[in-house]
Amino acid sequence: MDKIILSLLVDNTSGVLSRIAGLFSRRAYNIDSLTVGVTANPNISRMTIVSRGDELVLHQILAQLRKQEDVRDVKVLQPGSSVDRELILVKVMADVRNRRDITDIANIFRANIVDVQKDSLIIELTGSQSKLSALLDMLSDYQIAELARTGITGLTRGAEDVRYY
């Protein structure tokens, strides 16, 4: 199964997210990750969708998205010609004995400790999915109490294919 990362510019109106998600669910396509946020133009939002499928399924996803009335632009974010990132927050149980070790691991990844309590730390890290996975792997010897990931968001490199609305 191939993975595709799509960057969509859509009208910033109520129901757009529901219609796009419905397109995927009606056809039994899975969404691995979905992020949405307003752009510099408050009338337009950017959606970043990560999905998996064989070549035919991915082609169908693109074709169906391009037909949507609310969709203004669809780009495939290709490795090398785009930049994508994800944010993770990890709450790790930490006491006096292991707090320093956990902090050292966070520092290796240039992560931020954003909350310190008597019994836990919250670590924030932004980067590629492989970097986030490597952090989680290094923390696997400690008790991870909670975990939140934003999903991938990204843009193509350069200005030649920028769309202004």
Side-chain angles (χ1 to χ4, degrees):
M1 298 248 293
D2 295 323
K3 176 171 107 172
I4 192 168
I5 302 173
L6 301 168
S7 179
L8 284 65
L9 291 176
V10 299
D11 292 334
N12 187 12
T13 57
S14 61
V16 173
L17 176 60
S18 178
R19 286 188 288 281
I20 299 296
L23 179 150
F24 279 78
S25 67
R26 281 190 307 276
R27 290 164 179 78
Y29 302 148
N30 191 42
I31 296 175
D32 291 346
S33 167
L34 172 66
T35 60
V36 184
V38 70
T39 64
N41 178 345
N43 297 316
I44 304 290
S45 290
R46 181 176 305 279
M47 294 179 133
T48 307
I49 302 171
V50 179
S51 190
R52 293 182 191 277
D54 60 30
E55 190 175 326
L56 180 62
V57 166
L58 298 181
H59 177 73
Q60 284 298 313
I61 289 171
L62 282 168
Q64 294 298 320
L65 286 171
R66 287 185 172 122
K67 287 184 195 177
Q68 295 296 305
E69 186 175 317
D70 300 314
V71 175
R72 301 288 168 224
D73 187 44
V74 178
K75 292 180 189 169
V76 178
L77 299 184
Q78 300 289 349
S81 62
S82 64
V83 176
D84 58 77
R85 297 288 184 265
E86 185 173 5
L87 168 74
I88 190 170
L89 295 173
V90 184
K91 185 184 293 180
V92 183
M93 301 309 293
D95 56 27
V96 174
R97 294 170 292 158
N98 62 9
R99 186 176 313 275
R100 185 71 195 150
D101 294 338
I102 295 168
T103 301
D104 289 345
I105 291 170
N107 289 336
I108 290 169
F109 288 89
R110 291 187 221 119
N112 298 312
I113 307 291
V114 294
D115 184 66
V116 178
Q117 300 294 315
K118 287 170 85 172
D119 57 354
S120 67
L121 299 171
I122 296 180
I123 300 169
E124 171 193 62
L125 180 62
T126 302
S128 65
Q129 285 189 316
S130 61
K131 182 177 183 179
L132 276 53
S133 295
L135 172 68
L136 292 175
D137 186 50
M138 293 294 293
L139 293 172
S140 65
D141 291 338
Y142 304 95
Q143 182 182 355
I144 296 176
E146 291 184 286
L147 174 80
R149 293 178 84 147
T150 60
I152 292 175
T153 191
L155 295 171
T156 57
R157 294 180 187 272
E160 60 270 359
D161 66 349
V162 173
R163 304 284 190 272
Y164 297 99
Y165 291 96

